[in-house]
Amino acid sequence: MAFVKILKNTAYFKRFQVPKRRRRQGKTDFHARRKMVRQDKNKFNNRKYRLCVRFTNKRCICQIMYATLKGDIVVSAASSHELTAFGIPMGHKNYAAAYATGLLCARRALKKFGLDEKFKGKEEIDGEEYHVEDEENEQRPFKCILDVGLRRTVVGHRMWGALKGAVDGGLHVPHSAKNFPGFKAAEEKGAESEYDAEAHKDRIFGNHVKEYMEMLQEEDPTKYEAHFSKFISAGIDADKMEEMYTEAHEKIREDPNGEAAEKKDITQTRKGNKVTGSDGTEHIRSMKLTLKQRRVKVAAKIAAAQAKMMDDE
């Protein structure tokens, strides 16, 4: 038999380091995180803000946060399901919703720091490249870097919609237009690349969804009713799409916090395991047994088992 070298010997396992929990779970790219979180030594304890953009199966989430030794502290957050209050009742994970969520998060952050009046951002949305730091202002703009997590940074991804919304909202996020929809890289060496701002504007206002709605409505009405049932129930057709997003952008700029939900004056009383509300609703919520009660319960079970054994004999 040939000699086989043992690679994972005792010395190997003595030096083995268990990866961080979120690396084991496949949730965090620590190589990228170290670069984003690392701060210069002469800026010790200064906050380095990140614009974190994440997508789930149902919504888009934008958060502005900074890292500390205890953990990340969230300064401002916005989720696309909150867009219902601003006039977008459905379609909370497309490009247009990502733009509106980024805009909402940016305006909330600036309002929190008292910068919403100084940095208005880009009020006319035309898809053109915009940098708030290029404008003349006495105060420097609020800066944060984009954190996309484990997502691939491909051209035209929804994450760039959230970035564009935050930038148009007045945040200083270092970026270029090379990943935006409508960008076309140079085919030959030395040639200039092209950026079609109109194509990006169409994405921001959901024109790609509008075109798909019109196509389905003509070719397959049954599929149209199934795919866009929430749009139909809300009374929104293809022609009202751009108007819906325009009004939502205006409402976000007027008041990013939105109207507070009304508090329900409902009191609840408990009697044993039954909880009764003042509105007449009843719920069963079992109470935790004490040690004495648990021992009595176990003793009763043992006694019942012994009695059954005696009967069988």
Side-chain angles (χ1 to χ4, degrees), residues 43-85:
K43 298 177 182 176
F44 177 74
N45 215 24
N46 274 16
R47 296 173 181 178
K48 195 172 183 180
Y49 294 98
R50 309 192 320 273
L51 172 64
C52 296
V53 180
R54 301 289 184 271
F55 289 91
T56 69
N57 289 338
K58 291 187 176 181
R59 54 183 177 157
C60 165
I61 303 165
C62 294
Q63 294 177 322
I64 295 173
M65 59 175 69
Y66 62 93
T68 65
L69 292 173
K70 291 182 179 179
D72 288 359
I73 308 297
V74 178
V75 170
S76 171
S79 178
S80 58
H81 77 271
E82 297 177 66
L83 298 176
T84 306

mmCIF file of all heavy atoms in Angstrom, residues 43-85:
data_model
loop_
_atom_site.group_PDB
_atom_site.id
_atom_site.type_symbol
_atom_site.label_atom_id
_atom_site.label_comp_id
_atom_site.label_asym_id
_atom_site.label_seq_id
_atom_site.Cartn_x
_atom_site.Cartn_y
_atom_site.Cartn_z
ATOM 1 N N LYS A 43 -9.059 59.518 12.865
ATOM 2 C CA LYS A 43 -10.498 59.793 12.972
ATOM 3 C C LYS A 43 -11.118 58.834 13.978
ATOM 4 O O LYS A 43 -12.241 58.371 13.808
ATOM 5 C CB LYS A 43 -11.179 59.619 11.619
ATOM 6 C CG LYS A 43 -10.691 60.572 10.537
ATOM 7 C CD LYS A 43 -11.378 60.266 9.231
ATOM 8 C CE LYS A 43 -10.857 61.170 8.123
ATOM 9 N NZ LYS A 43 -11.450 60.809 6.818
ATOM 10 N N PHE A 44 -10.368 58.522 15.008
ATOM 11 C CA PHE A 44 -10.796 57.519 15.980
ATOM 12 C C PHE A 44 -12.175 57.833 16.552
ATOM 13 O O PHE A 44 -12.453 58.952 16.951
ATOM 14 C CB PHE A 44 -9.771 57.421 17.121
ATOM 15 C CG PHE A 44 -10.176 56.459 18.185
ATOM 16 C CD1 PHE A 44 -10.115 55.099 17.972
ATOM 17 C CD2 PHE A 44 -10.657 56.910 19.408
ATOM 18 C CE1 PHE A 44 -10.495 54.194 18.948
ATOM 19 C CE2 PHE A 44 -11.036 56.018 20.391
ATOM 20 C CZ PHE A 44 -10.955 54.655 20.156
ATOM 21 N N ASN A 45 -13.025 56.818 16.576
ATOM 22 C CA ASN A 45 -14.379 56.886 17.130
ATOM 23 C C ASN A 45 -15.327 57.768 16.326
ATOM 24 O O ASN A 45 -16.425 58.074 16.775
ATOM 25 C CB ASN A 45 -14.349 57.354 18.601
ATOM 26 C CG ASN A 45 -15.445 56.671 19.412
ATOM 27 O OD1 ASN A 45 -15.905 55.591 19.041
ATOM 28 N ND2 ASN A 45 -15.847 57.282 20.499
ATOM 29 N N ASN A 46 -14.908 58.220 15.139
ATOM 30 C CA ASN A 46 -15.823 58.942 14.252
ATOM 31 C C ASN A 46 -16.744 57.942 13.560
ATOM 32 O O ASN A 46 -16.320 56.841 13.210
ATOM 33 C CB ASN A 46 -15.052 59.741 13.201
ATOM 34 C CG ASN A 46 -14.646 61.094 13.719
ATOM 35 O OD1 ASN A 46 -14.669 61.332 14.922
ATOM 36 N ND2 ASN A 46 -14.257 61.984 12.827
ATOM 37 N N ARG A 47 -17.965 58.339 13.337
ATOM 38 C CA ARG A 47 -18.938 57.429 12.741
ATOM 39 C C ARG A 47 -18.758 57.359 11.224
ATOM 40 O O ARG A 47 -18.691 58.388 10.562
ATOM 41 C CB ARG A 47 -20.354 57.901 13.075
ATOM 42 C CG ARG A 47 -20.643 57.841 14.561
ATOM 43 C CD ARG A 47 -21.971 58.475 14.887
ATOM 44 N NE ARG A 47 -22.238 58.435 16.310
ATOM 45 C CZ ARG A 47 -23.313 58.963 16.876
ATOM 46 N NH1 ARG A 47 -24.219 59.585 16.136
ATOM 47 N NH2 ARG A 47 -23.488 58.872 18.182
ATOM 48 N N LYS A 48 -18.693 56.146 10.721
ATOM 49 C CA LYS A 48 -18.587 55.924 9.284
ATOM 50 C C LYS A 48 -19.897 55.286 8.825
ATOM 51 O O LYS A 48 -20.162 54.115 9.086
ATOM 52 C CB LYS A 48 -17.397 55.006 8.984
ATOM 53 C CG LYS A 48 -16.984 55.012 7.523
ATOM 54 C CD LYS A 48 -15.690 54.244 7.346
ATOM 55 C CE LYS A 48 -15.226 54.299 5.902
ATOM 56 N NZ LYS A 48 -13.965 53.558 5.706
ATOM 57 N N TYR A 49 -20.736 56.088 8.179
ATOM 58 C CA TYR A 49 -22.092 55.664 7.861
ATOM 59 C C TYR A 49 -22.125 54.799 6.597
ATOM 60 O O TYR A 49 -21.374 55.022 5.651
ATOM 61 C CB TYR A 49 -23.000 56.880 7.680
ATOM 62 C CG TYR A 49 -23.203 57.675 8.944
ATOM 63 C CD1 TYR A 49 -22.460 58.815 9.202
ATOM 64 C CD2 TYR A 49 -24.121 57.263 9.905
ATOM 65 C CE1 TYR A 49 -22.633 59.539 10.376
ATOM 66 C CE2 TYR A 49 -24.307 57.982 11.072
ATOM 67 C CZ TYR A 49 -23.555 59.118 11.302
ATOM 68 O OH TYR A 49 -23.739 59.826 12.462
ATOM 69 N N ARG A 50 -23.036 53.818 6.613
ATOM 70 C CA ARG A 50 -23.244 52.940 5.464
ATOM 71 C C ARG A 50 -24.726 52.949 5.089
ATOM 72 O O ARG A 50 -25.591 52.946 5.960
ATOM 73 C CB ARG A 50 -22.839 51.494 5.760
ATOM 74 C CG ARG A 50 -21.471 51.348 6.332
ATOM 75 C CD ARG A 50 -20.992 49.906 6.341
ATOM 76 N NE ARG A 50 -21.983 48.914 6.686
ATOM 77 C CZ ARG A 50 -22.278 48.523 7.919
ATOM 78 N NH1 ARG A 50 -21.689 49.101 8.960
ATOM 79 N NH2 ARG A 50 -23.159 47.586 8.129
ATOM 80 N N LEU A 51 -24.993 52.984 3.790
ATOM 81 C CA LEU A 51 -26.363 52.838 3.287
ATOM 82 C C LEU A 51 -26.538 51.368 2.915
ATOM 83 O O LEU A 51 -26.046 50.904 1.889
ATOM 84 C CB LEU A 51 -26.591 53.733 2.066
ATOM 85 C CG LEU A 51 -27.921 53.535 1.318
ATOM 86 C CD1 LEU A 51 -29.112 53.907 2.199
ATOM 87 C CD2 LEU A 51 -27.946 54.343 0.037
ATOM 88 N N CYS A 52 -27.227 50.625 3.779
ATOM 89 C CA CYS A 52 -27.411 49.181 3.577
ATOM 90 C C CYS A 52 -28.712 48.943 2.813
ATOM 91 O O CYS A 52 -29.778 49.402 3.238
ATOM 92 C CB CYS A 52 -27.458 48.457 4.914
ATOM 93 S SG CYS A 52 -25.923 48.586 5.828
ATOM 94 N N VAL A 53 -28.611 48.239 1.707
ATOM 95 C CA VAL A 53 -29.771 47.928 0.862
ATOM 96 C C VAL A 53 -29.926 46.412 0.808
ATOM 97 O O VAL A 53 -28.990 45.704 0.431
ATOM 98 C CB VAL A 53 -29.605 48.496 -0.562
ATOM 99 C CG1 VAL A 53 -30.820 48.171 -1.413
ATOM 100 C CG2 VAL A 53 -29.367 49.991 -0.521
ATOM 101 N N ARG A 54 -31.079 45.926 1.209
ATOM 102 C CA ARG A 54 -31.357 44.499 1.203
ATOM 103 C C ARG A 54 -32.723 44.241 0.552
ATOM 104 O O ARG A 54 -33.632 45.070 0.664
ATOM 105 C CB ARG A 54 -31.363 43.919 2.621
ATOM 106 C CG ARG A 54 -30.058 44.102 3.379
ATOM 107 C CD ARG A 54 -28.958 43.220 2.841
ATOM 108 N NE ARG A 54 -27.746 43.316 3.619
ATOM 109 C CZ ARG A 54 -26.774 44.197 3.389
ATOM 110 N NH1 ARG A 54 -26.874 45.059 2.388
ATOM 111 N NH2 ARG A 54 -25.687 44.215 4.147
ATOM 112 N N PHE A 55 -32.846 43.071 -0.084
ATOM 113 C CA PHE A 55 -34.099 42.676 -0.739
ATOM 114 C C PHE A 55 -34.545 41.323 -0.194
ATOM 115 O O PHE A 55 -33.756 40.388 -0.097
ATOM 116 C CB PHE A 55 -33.917 42.580 -2.253
ATOM 117 C CG PHE A 55 -33.756 43.903 -2.934
ATOM 118 C CD1 PHE A 55 -32.498 44.445 -3.133
ATOM 119 C CD2 PHE A 55 -34.860 44.622 -3.356
ATOM 120 C CE1 PHE A 55 -32.337 45.673 -3.740
ATOM 121 C CE2 PHE A 55 -34.713 45.853 -3.972
ATOM 122 C CZ PHE A 55 -33.454 46.376 -4.159
ATOM 123 N N THR A 56 -35.827 41.242 0.169
ATOM 124 C CA THR A 56 -36.424 39.971 0.551
ATOM 125 C C THR A 56 -37.364 39.551 -0.580
ATOM 126 O O THR A 56 -37.391 40.184 -1.639
ATOM 127 C CB THR A 56 -37.220 40.108 1.867
ATOM 128 O OG1 THR A 56 -38.391 40.915 1.631
ATOM 129 C CG2 THR A 56 -36.382 40.772 2.950
ATOM 130 N N ASN A 57 -38.119 38.489 -0.362
ATOM 131 C CA ASN A 57 -39.063 38.038 -1.394
ATOM 132 C C ASN A 57 -40.259 38.974 -1.543
ATOM 133 O O ASN A 57 -41.005 38.879 -2.518
ATOM 134 C CB ASN A 57 -39.575 36.631 -1.067
ATOM 135 C CG ASN A 57 -38.507 35.584 -1.262
ATOM 136 O OD1 ASN A 57 -37.553 35.803 -2.001
ATOM 137 N ND2 ASN A 57 -38.650 34.453 -0.593
ATOM 138 N N LYS A 58 -40.467 39.872 -0.565
ATOM 139 C CA LYS A 58 -41.656 40.717 -0.598
ATOM 140 C C LYS A 58 -41.372 42.209 -0.583
ATOM 141 O O LYS A 58 -42.246 42.998 -0.916
ATOM 142 C CB LYS A 58 -42.564 40.384 0.601
ATOM 143 C CG LYS A 58 -43.212 39.021 0.508
ATOM 144 C CD LYS A 58 -44.224 38.823 1.624
ATOM 145 C CE LYS A 58 -44.937 37.489 1.476
ATOM 146 N NZ LYS A 58 -45.948 37.295 2.549
ATOM 147 N N ARG A 59 -40.167 42.621 -0.166
ATOM 148 C CA ARG A 59 -39.939 44.054 -0.014
ATOM 149 C C ARG A 59 -38.472 44.426 -0.134
ATOM 150 O O ARG A 59 -37.592 43.561 -0.178
ATOM 151 C CB ARG A 59 -40.476 44.535 1.337
ATOM 152 C CG ARG A 59 -39.924 43.764 2.515
ATOM 153 C CD ARG A 59 -40.540 44.218 3.812
ATOM 154 N NE ARG A 59 -40.055 43.416 4.933
ATOM 155 C CZ ARG A 59 -40.053 43.815 6.174
ATOM 156 N NH1 ARG A 59 -40.496 45.006 6.490
ATOM 157 N NH2 ARG A 59 -39.615 43.039 7.141
ATOM 158 N N CYS A 60 -38.238 45.725 -0.153
ATOM 159 C CA CYS A 60 -36.892 46.299 -0.181
ATOM 160 C C CYS A 60 -36.678 47.043 1.136
ATOM 161 O O CYS A 60 -37.579 47.756 1.599
ATOM 162 C CB CYS A 60 -36.754 47.255 -1.367
ATOM 163 S SG CYS A 60 -35.317 48.337 -1.291
ATOM 164 N N ILE A 61 -35.510 46.878 1.742
ATOM 165 C CA ILE A 61 -35.205 47.509 3.033
ATOM 166 C C ILE A 61 -33.950 48.362 2.875
ATOM 167 O O ILE A 61 -32.928 47.876 2.382
ATOM 168 C CB ILE A 61 -34.988 46.457 4.140
ATOM 169 C CG1 ILE A 61 -36.220 45.558 4.268
ATOM 170 C CG2 ILE A 61 -34.674 47.127 5.472
ATOM 171 C CD1 ILE A 61 -35.982 44.296 5.053
ATOM 172 N N CYS A 62 -34.023 49.616 3.289
ATOM 173 C CA CYS A 62 -32.871 50.526 3.271
ATOM 174 C C CYS A 62 -32.618 51.021 4.694
ATOM 175 O O CYS A 62 -33.562 51.451 5.370
ATOM 176 C CB CYS A 62 -33.130 51.719 2.354
ATOM 177 S SG CYS A 62 -33.281 51.288 0.624
ATOM 178 N N GLN A 63 -31.361 50.971 5.118
ATOM 179 C CA GLN A 63 -30.986 51.430 6.453
ATOM 180 C C GLN A 63 -29.681 52.212 6.382
ATOM 181 O O GLN A 63 -28.780 51.843 5.636
ATOM 182 C CB GLN A 63 -30.798 50.243 7.407
ATOM 183 C CG GLN A 63 -32.060 49.476 7.707
ATOM 184 C CD GLN A 63 -31.800 48.263 8.590
ATOM 185 O OE1 GLN A 63 -30.795 47.589 8.438
ATOM 186 N NE2 GLN A 63 -32.699 48.000 9.515
ATOM 187 N N ILE A 64 -29.601 53.277 7.169
ATOM 188 C CA ILE A 64 -28.353 54.019 7.316
ATOM 189 C C ILE A 64 -27.834 53.711 8.713
ATOM 190 O O ILE A 64 -28.530 53.959 9.706
ATOM 191 C CB ILE A 64 -28.565 55.530 7.114
ATOM 192 C CG1 ILE A 64 -28.986 55.788 5.678
ATOM 193 C CG2 ILE A 64 -27.300 56.307 7.450
ATOM 194 C CD1 ILE A 64 -29.391 57.215 5.390
ATOM 195 N N MET A 65 -26.622 53.146 8.791
ATOM 196 C CA MET A 65 -26.099 52.690 10.067
ATOM 197 C C MET A 65 -24.596 52.923 10.154
ATOM 198 O O MET A 65 -23.949 53.230 9.156
ATOM 199 C CB MET A 65 -26.413 51.206 10.269
ATOM 200 C CG MET A 65 -25.859 50.307 9.201
ATOM 201 S SD MET A 65 -26.143 48.563 9.563
ATOM 202 C CE MET A 65 -27.898 48.440 9.388
ATOM 203 N N TYR A 66 -24.078 52.805 11.374
ATOM 204 C CA TYR A 66 -22.639 52.873 11.589
ATOM 205 C C TYR A 66 -22.247 51.775 12.569
ATOM 206 O O TYR A 66 -23.057 51.315 13.380
ATOM 207 C CB TYR A 66 -22.213 54.255 12.104
ATOM 208 C CG TYR A 66 -22.801 54.644 13.434
ATOM 209 C CD1 TYR A 66 -22.124 54.400 14.621
ATOM 210 C CD2 TYR A 66 -24.034 55.297 13.513
ATOM 211 C CE1 TYR A 66 -22.662 54.770 15.846
ATOM 212 C CE2 TYR A 66 -24.582 55.678 14.725
ATOM 213 C CZ TYR A 66 -23.881 55.404 15.894
ATOM 214 O OH TYR A 66 -24.418 55.772 17.098
ATOM 215 N N ALA A 67 -20.988 51.333 12.488
ATOM 216 C CA ALA A 67 -20.520 50.201 13.282
ATOM 217 C C ALA A 67 -19.900 50.661 14.593
ATOM 218 O O ALA A 67 -19.208 51.684 14.637
ATOM 219 C CB ALA A 67 -19.503 49.390 12.489
ATOM 220 N N THR A 68 -20.161 49.915 15.653
ATOM 221 C CA THR A 68 -19.511 50.120 16.946
ATOM 222 C C THR A 68 -19.024 48.757 17.443
ATOM 223 O O THR A 68 -19.319 47.721 16.834
ATOM 224 C CB THR A 68 -20.475 50.725 17.981
ATOM 225 O OG1 THR A 68 -21.526 49.783 18.243
ATOM 226 C CG2 THR A 68 -21.080 52.027 17.492
ATOM 227 N N LEU A 69 -18.277 48.754 18.558
ATOM 228 C CA LEU A 69 -17.808 47.494 19.124
ATOM 229 C C LEU A 69 -18.965 46.632 19.627
ATOM 230 O O LEU A 69 -18.887 45.407 19.627
ATOM 231 C CB LEU A 69 -16.825 47.766 20.273
ATOM 232 C CG LEU A 69 -15.476 48.373 19.860
ATOM 233 C CD1 LEU A 69 -14.679 48.737 21.098
ATOM 234 C CD2 LEU A 69 -14.691 47.418 18.990
ATOM 235 N N LYS A 70 -20.029 47.269 20.062
ATOM 236 C CA LYS A 70 -21.197 46.536 20.555
ATOM 237 C C LYS A 70 -22.042 45.981 19.412
ATOM 238 O O LYS A 70 -22.795 45.044 19.592
ATOM 239 C CB LYS A 70 -22.063 47.448 21.428
ATOM 240 C CG LYS A 70 -21.413 47.820 22.750
ATOM 241 C CD LYS A 70 -22.359 48.679 23.563
ATOM 242 C CE LYS A 70 -21.737 49.047 24.919
ATOM 243 N NZ LYS A 70 -22.646 49.903 25.716
ATOM 244 N N GLY A 71 -21.951 46.615 18.239
ATOM 245 C CA GLY A 71 -22.770 46.203 17.096
ATOM 246 C C GLY A 71 -23.135 47.406 16.248
ATOM 247 O O GLY A 71 -22.778 48.540 16.574
ATOM 248 N N ASP A 72 -23.842 47.170 15.164
ATOM 249 C CA ASP A 72 -24.251 48.259 14.264
ATOM 250 C C ASP A 72 -25.422 49.039 14.855
ATOM 251 O O ASP A 72 -26.367 48.438 15.382
ATOM 252 C CB ASP A 72 -24.644 47.707 12.901
ATOM 253 C CG ASP A 72 -23.430 47.221 12.121
ATOM 254 O OD1 ASP A 72 -22.318 47.343 12.650
ATOM 255 O OD2 ASP A 72 -23.596 46.734 10.990
ATOM 256 N N ILE A 73 -25.351 50.355 14.765
ATOM 257 C CA ILE A 73 -26.416 51.245 15.245
ATOM 258 C C ILE A 73 -27.137 51.833 14.038
ATOM 259 O O ILE A 73 -26.509 52.455 13.178
ATOM 260 C CB ILE A 73 -25.844 52.383 16.118
ATOM 261 C CG1 ILE A 73 -24.956 51.821 17.242
ATOM 262 C CG2 ILE A 73 -26.964 53.239 16.687
ATOM 263 C CD1 ILE A 73 -25.658 50.937 18.235
ATOM 264 N N VAL A 74 -28.440 51.639 13.970
ATOM 265 C CA VAL A 74 -29.241 52.137 12.847
ATOM 266 C C VAL A 74 -29.697 53.560 13.142
ATOM 267 O O VAL A 74 -30.275 53.835 14.187
ATOM 268 C CB VAL A 74 -30.461 51.229 12.589
ATOM 269 C CG1 VAL A 74 -31.300 51.779 11.449
ATOM 270 C CG2 VAL A 74 -30.016 49.806 12.274
ATOM 271 N N VAL A 75 -29.416 54.453 12.202
ATOM 272 C CA VAL A 75 -29.776 55.866 12.344
ATOM 273 C C VAL A 75 -31.130 56.140 11.697
ATOM 274 O O VAL A 75 -31.975 56.838 12.238
ATOM 275 C CB VAL A 75 -28.687 56.755 11.697
ATOM 276 C CG1 VAL A 75 -29.124 58.207 11.614
ATOM 277 C CG2 VAL A 75 -27.385 56.642 12.462
ATOM 278 N N SER A 76 -31.312 55.590 10.507
ATOM 279 C CA SER A 76 -32.551 55.801 9.765
ATOM 280 C C SER A 76 -32.870 54.536 8.984
ATOM 281 O O SER A 76 -31.959 53.855 8.512
ATOM 282 C CB SER A 76 -32.397 56.991 8.809
ATOM 283 O OG SER A 76 -33.503 57.083 7.945
ATOM 284 N N ALA A 77 -34.141 54.231 8.856
ATOM 285 C CA ALA A 77 -34.551 53.018 8.135
ATOM 286 C C ALA A 77 -35.852 53.266 7.392
ATOM 287 O O ALA A 77 -36.676 54.089 7.807
ATOM 288 C CB ALA A 77 -34.712 51.846 9.103
ATOM 289 N N ALA A 78 -36.000 52.567 6.274
ATOM 290 C CA ALA A 78 -37.235 52.631 5.498
ATOM 291 C C ALA A 78 -37.436 51.296 4.810
ATOM 292 O O ALA A 78 -36.481 50.677 4.339
ATOM 293 C CB ALA A 78 -37.177 53.751 4.466
ATOM 294 N N SER A 79 -38.666 50.845 4.795
ATOM 295 C CA SER A 79 -39.011 49.594 4.124
ATOM 296 C C SER A 79 -40.088 49.873 3.082
ATOM 297 O O SER A 79 -40.927 50.752 3.278
ATOM 298 C CB SER A 79 -39.508 48.576 5.150
ATOM 299 O OG SER A 79 -39.874 47.386 4.502
ATOM 300 N N SER A 80 -40.050 49.131 1.986
ATOM 301 C CA SER A 80 -40.979 49.424 0.889
ATOM 302 C C SER A 80 -42.433 49.154 1.264
ATOM 303 O O SER A 80 -43.336 49.682 0.612
ATOM 304 C CB SER A 80 -40.597 48.619 -0.353
ATOM 305 O OG SER A 80 -40.594 47.245 -0.077
ATOM 306 N N HIS A 81 -42.702 48.351 2.318
ATOM 307 C CA HIS A 81 -44.104 48.156 2.704
ATOM 308 C C HIS A 81 -44.692 49.429 3.306
ATOM 309 O O HIS A 81 -45.910 49.584 3.373
ATOM 310 C CB HIS A 81 -44.241 46.971 3.676
ATOM 311 C CG HIS A 81 -43.822 47.276 5.076
ATOM 312 N ND1 HIS A 81 -42.533 47.110 5.523
ATOM 313 C CD2 HIS A 81 -44.517 47.745 6.150
ATOM 314 C CE1 HIS A 81 -42.452 47.455 6.796
ATOM 315 N NE2 HIS A 81 -43.641 47.846 7.205
ATOM 316 N N GLU A 82 -43.816 50.376 3.733
ATOM 317 C CA GLU A 82 -44.300 51.666 4.241
ATOM 318 C C GLU A 82 -44.798 52.573 3.111
ATOM 319 O O GLU A 82 -45.454 53.587 3.382
ATOM 320 C CB GLU A 82 -43.182 52.387 4.985
ATOM 321 C CG GLU A 82 -42.687 51.665 6.226
ATOM 322 C CD GLU A 82 -41.530 52.390 6.890
ATOM 323 O OE1 GLU A 82 -41.752 53.503 7.401
ATOM 324 O OE2 GLU A 82 -40.404 51.869 6.873
ATOM 325 N N LEU A 83 -44.502 52.226 1.867
ATOM 326 C CA LEU A 83 -44.912 53.054 0.729
ATOM 327 C C LEU A 83 -46.426 53.062 0.544
ATOM 328 O O LEU A 83 -46.955 53.928 -0.156
ATOM 329 C CB LEU A 83 -44.237 52.558 -0.557
ATOM 330 C CG LEU A 83 -42.701 52.619 -0.586
ATOM 331 C CD1 LEU A 83 -42.188 52.017 -1.877
ATOM 332 C CD2 LEU A 83 -42.207 54.052 -0.444
ATOM 333 N N THR A 84 -47.107 52.110 1.178
ATOM 334 C CA THR A 84 -48.585 52.080 1.104
ATOM 335 C C THR A 84 -49.167 53.386 1.636
ATOM 336 O O THR A 84 -50.149 53.909 1.099
ATOM 337 C CB THR A 84 -49.124 50.886 1.919
ATOM 338 O OG1 THR A 84 -48.488 49.698 1.462
ATOM 339 C CG2 THR A 84 -50.624 50.748 1.752
ATOM 340 N N ALA A 85 -48.546 53.921 2.696
ATOM 341 C CA ALA A 85 -49.024 55.178 3.287
ATOM 342 C C ALA A 85 -48.776 56.372 2.381
ATOM 343 O O ALA A 85 -49.381 57.436 2.560
ATOM 344 C CB ALA A 85 -48.335 55.409 4.639
#
